[in-house]
Structure formats: structure tokens, C-alpha cells
């Protein structure tokens, strides 16, 4: 098990300890030792895997009492109702300010558990145990927690960095293939925006990734997490920095909407990265050949790289037109300064017509 201390912004109350690799889960046996009570949170799908039980067994080694709550899974249940269910269960268990929340699950679960921790008794510490690739590479890094509202995604939340993130590659072995592949889109993104060698590593080792080989997966995730942590840390000083994390997402979000969410987030972002990189090449910002490299890497990881025929072009254009980032017939696209080089000014504003031309 590898230990990395992430250098996150000062306002994040110090640091987040990151434990990576097979067996990282077992670190709970020491990390939970000073809590009065441990509030273990998971969801129904994850509860059917060995991982919450493994987490609970590690916590029980500390002799600390554990209260376990199982939420309903998925985006539909990333709601205030789920948060309230947690607050109620925690109060009923007699939890106080010295409690520690441990969230075991994908990004939906850790977003809810982290937000409930941020708000319970005005804030108790928490540990994220992400069990999806997206959770490890993205959702549990950077301190954003929150829920969806009827009006839209992630509209209520808090910045509350976990005290530790335990990214145990073994937990990925129970993921359905499509969920597993989806998360790797964010790792490809991290390579393109912040680590050219990570992209090469992905190109060379996609077979081991598909086989969920723990050592390879851990090495790639470590590099990917480092990119996100660096962007988040720099954002403290430069407001616009964080926007680079949106690379591939302007087009990606439009595709998700235009497909009526039949296209998953990772698949939409994979296609979005290829299209936005093509724009980057046209603008002289990215090297020729990069869109093809991204496409080949995504394909090798089981992700699409071309616009699906069954998503109407007009729907994509409409979705781009209603993009909240679009202003006065213009669209914001976040591009690195070069391959693996994010900068202080990632956002480019291009005429909508320019992006639509690349889409053709
Ligand atoms: N906080 C942030 O900064 C941030 C960043 C990116 C994304 N997110 C959020 O993350 C969420 C998406 O996360 P996700 O893709 O992990 O989705 P998810 O949490 O819904 O998990 C995907 C599916 O996999 C199942 N699952 C999870 N772990 C499993 C395991 N080990 N074995 C078997 N099944 C498992 C889940 O039950 C679910 O059905 C979105 O709500 C998004 O807004 C947050
Ligand atoms: Zn994303």
C-alpha cells in the first residue's frame, strides 16, 4: 500500500492522506482509532460486495462502535432526502462531534456522505473509500461534496475535504464492465491536461487496465490523482485554474443531454475529448495527431471516440446552445496549453459555429 500526502489548499484544513493500492481499505484499522463512533455509509449495490464488510471489520479492530447506514444507489438518490436519512440515523445512534464518517461507494455515495459529514452538527470529519474508477480519480479528490436538486445536478453542496482517501484497486474488481470503462475517461483526461507520460502509460498498458490488474491500476490512478490535486491546489491562488478539469466536458455534457442520458458520462466525455482536441489542433494549441491518440486510447479502454449515429445533430447543437457556459453565441472550451500542460488560462471562448464545424 502506497501512502501519498496530497498538498491541498490551506482552507481545506491541512491535508488529505491518500492511501493507494490493494489493501488500502485495511488502513481504517488505524485511521478510525481516535473516533468516538464511526458512521459507516454505503449503498445497496455496494452493500452486496465484500467491501463495506471489509471496511467494517477493519474499523472493529479499533474497538470503536460502528453505525452502518445503507442508502439507495445512484444519481437518483443523491438527494437531500438521503442526507436527512443519514442525519436522523446518526442522531438516533447518539453520534456527537467526535464521530467519524466513512463513505464506501462510488461518486454518488461519497458526494452524499461527504455532504452529510460537512453539515452534521456543523461538520464532522470524514474518510472517502471510493469504489469506482471515477470515484478514485475524480469525485473523492478536491473536497467538493453535495447533492442534486430537482432543478439540476450538484446544486447544493459544501467544500469539505476528506481526512483521508482510501483507493483500494481490489474494490474495482466487482464493478460492471461499463461502469469500470466509464471512469477511465477521466484518467485519459488527466493525462491530456496534466501528464503526457500518463497518456503513454495508458497507451502501453490498456490490456492490464481491462484485466483490472491491481499494480497497473494503482500506478495509473496515482498519476491521475496527482494531476487533479495539483489543479485543485493551484486553484486556491488562480480562480480559473480548475476550469481545465472541464476538458472534453463542454461537448461531453451536450452529448449526454442530446442522447437523453442514454450515453453515459464517461462515454460522452471520451467523444467530447476527441472533438475538443481537434479544435485545439485547429487553434494551434495542441499537437497534430493528439485527437487520434486520444481516440485510440479510449477505444483500447472500451470507450467510444466518435459521435454515435443515433444522437440527432440538431439535439447536440441545441444542447450546446443551451450550455450555461455559452454566452452571446459563443462557447467556452477548456484546453491545455499543450499536451500535459495545464495553465492559468485554460478557457477559450470560440464562436458556436466554430465548434459545430469541428463536430461535422
Ligand atoms: N465531488 C466531485 O468533485 C465529483 C467529481 C466528479 C464526479 N462527481 C459525482 O460522481 C457521481 C458519479 O460517480 P460514479 O460514476 O462513481 O457513480 P455511482 O456512485 O452511481 O456508481 C456507479 C454504479 O456502480 C455501482 N458500484 C459502485 N462501486 C461498486 C463496486 N465496487 N462494485 C460493484 N458496483 C459498484 C453503484 O451502485 C452504481 O450503480 C456523479 O454524481 C458526479 O456528480 C463528483
Ligand atoms: Zn467528468
Amino acid at each position: 500500500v502506497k501512502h501519498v500526502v496530497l498538498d491541498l489548499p490551506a482552507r481545506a484544513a491541512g491535508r488529505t492522506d491518500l492511501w493507494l493500492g490493494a489493501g488500502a481499505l485495511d488502513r481504517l484499522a488505524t485511521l478510525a482509532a481516535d473516533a468516538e463512533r464511526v458512521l459507516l455509509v454505503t449503498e445497496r449495490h455496494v452493500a452486496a460486495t465484500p467491501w463495506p464488510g471489509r471496511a467494517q471489520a477493519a474499523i472493529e479492530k479499533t474497538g470503536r462502535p460502528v453505525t452502518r447506514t445503507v442508502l439507495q444507489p445512484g444519481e437518483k438518490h443523491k438527494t437531500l432526502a438521503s442526507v436527512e436519512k443519514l442525519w436522523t440515523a446518526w442522531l438516533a445512534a447518539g453520534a456527537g462531534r467526535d464521530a467519524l464518517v466513512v463513505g464506501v461507494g462510488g461518486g454518488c455515495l461519497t458526494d452524499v456522505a461527504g455532504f452529510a459529514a460537512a453539515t452534521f452538527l456543523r461538520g464532522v470529519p470524514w474518510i472517502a473509500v471510493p469504489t469506482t474508477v471515477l470515484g478514485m480519480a475524480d469525485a473523492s479528490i478536491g473536497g467538493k461534496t453535495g447533492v442534486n436538486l430537482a432543478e439540476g445536478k450538484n446544486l447544493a453542496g459544501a467544500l469539505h475535504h476528506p481526512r483521508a482517501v482510501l483507493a483500494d484497486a481490489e474494490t474495482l474488481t466487482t464493478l460492471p464492465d461499463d461502469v469500470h470503462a466509464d471512469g477511465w475517461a477521466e484518467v485519459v483526461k488527466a493525462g491530456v491536461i496534466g501528464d503526457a507520460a500518463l497518456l503513454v502509460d495508458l497507451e502501453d498498458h490498456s490490456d492490464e487496465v481491462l484485466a483490472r490488474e491491481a499494480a497497473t491500476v494503482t500506478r495509473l490512478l496515482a498519476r491521475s490523482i496527482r494531476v487533479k490535486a495539483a489543479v485543485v491546489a493551484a486553484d486556491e491562488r488562480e480562480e480559473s485554474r480548475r476550469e481545465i478539469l472541464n476538458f472534453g466536458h463542454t461537448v461531453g455534457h451536450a452529448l449526454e443531454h442530446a442522447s437523453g442520458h442514454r450515453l453515459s458520462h464517461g462515454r460522452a466525455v471520451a467523444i467530447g475529448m476527441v472533438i475538443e482536441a481537434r479544435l485545439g489542433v485547429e487553434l494551434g494549441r495542441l499537437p497534430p495527431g493528439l485527437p487520434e491518440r486520444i481516440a485510440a486510447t479510449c477505444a483500447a479502454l472500451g470507450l467510444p471516440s466518435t459521435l454515435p449515429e443515433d444522437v440527432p445533430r440538431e439535439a447536440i447543437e441545441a444542447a450546446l446552445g443551451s450550455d450555461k457556459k455559452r454566452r452571446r453565441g459563443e462557447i467556452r472550451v477548456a484546453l491545455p496549453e499543450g499536451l500535459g500542460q495545464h495553465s492559468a488560462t485554460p478557457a477559450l471562448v470560440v464562436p458556436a459555429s466554430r465548434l459545430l464545424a469541428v463536430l461535422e
Side-chain angles (χ1 to χ4, degrees), residues 33-302:
D34 61 351
E36 196 67 49
R37 171 174 293 275
V38 180
L39 307 169
L40 184 65
V41 185
T42 190
E43 42 97 324
R44 196 162 40 76
H45 291 163
V46 180
T49 71
W51 318 123
R54 267 276 280 285
Q56 185 156 351
I59 296 162
E60 279 167 355
K61 281 192 187 148
T62 65
R64 313 317 300 165
V66 182
T67 301
R68 174 163 165 165
T69 315
V70 181
L71 298 174
Q72 292 302 315
E75 203 69 66
K76 225 178 79 201
H77 296 282
K78 194 175 127 177
T79 58
L80 265 183
S82 292
V83 173
E84 192 168 13
K85 181 175 169 181
L86 293 177
W87 291 334
T88 306
W90 295 346
L91 287 173
R97 281 178 206 289
D98 297 327
L100 170 71
V101 172
V102 175
V104 183
C108 290
L109 186 279
T110 52
D111 274 10
V112 169
F115 183 56
T119 45
F120 183 65
L121 304 177
R122 295 190 193 83
V124 296
W126 75 294
I127 291 177
V129 185
T131 60
T132 61
V133 177
L134 183 131
M136 293 180 189
D138 198 351
S140 64
I141 310 296
K144 284 188 181 173
T145 69
V147 295
N148 302 325
L149 302 181
E151 289 79 1
K153 277 195 64 177
N154 299 322
L155 289 179
L159 205 57
H160 188 45
H161 285 271
R163 179 189 279 182
V165 176
L166 311 182
D168 191 328
E170 232 187 311
T171 64
L172 304 177
T173 56
T174 53
L175 277 179
D177 286 342
D178 57 335
V179 178
H180 181 256
D182 238 52
W184 286 95
E186 307 289 350
V187 182
V188 173
K189 179 189 80 178
V192 175
I193 67 173
D195 185 352
L198 169 55
L199 187 61
V200 175
D201 206 345
L202 279 164
E203 289 172 325
D204 291 349
H205 298 283
S206 54
D207 287 348
E208 288 100 312
V209 170
L210 289 181
R212 309 187 197 186
E213 203 269 306
T216 303
V217 165
T218 301
R219 180 182 74 243
L220 293 166
L221 285 171
R223 294 193 85 119
S224 181
I225 289 168
R226 208 166 276 133
V227 171
K228 180 159 185 192
V231 170
V232 172
D235 194 55
E236 176 85 337
R237 280 157 274 129
E238 301 166 57
E239 275 301 305
S240 64
R241 277 261 165 184
R242 207 167 169 144
E243 201 168 358
I244 193 61
L245 298 170
N246 251 346
F247 171 65
H249 282 61
T250 298
V251 172
H253 283 147
L255 290 174
E256 277 185 271
H257 285 294
S259 72
H261 293 271
R262 273 179 298 119
L263 207 56
S264 65
H265 182 71
R267 281 162 177 74
V269 167
I271 300 164
M273 287 192 291
V274 175
I275 291 167
E276 291 181 20
R278 228 177 262 155
L279 177 71
V281 173
E282 279 188 14
L283 296 171
R285 195 147 162 159
L286 292 173
L290 182 61
E292 293 74 20
R293 281 182 69 190
I294 297 171
T297 309
C298 288
L301 294 167

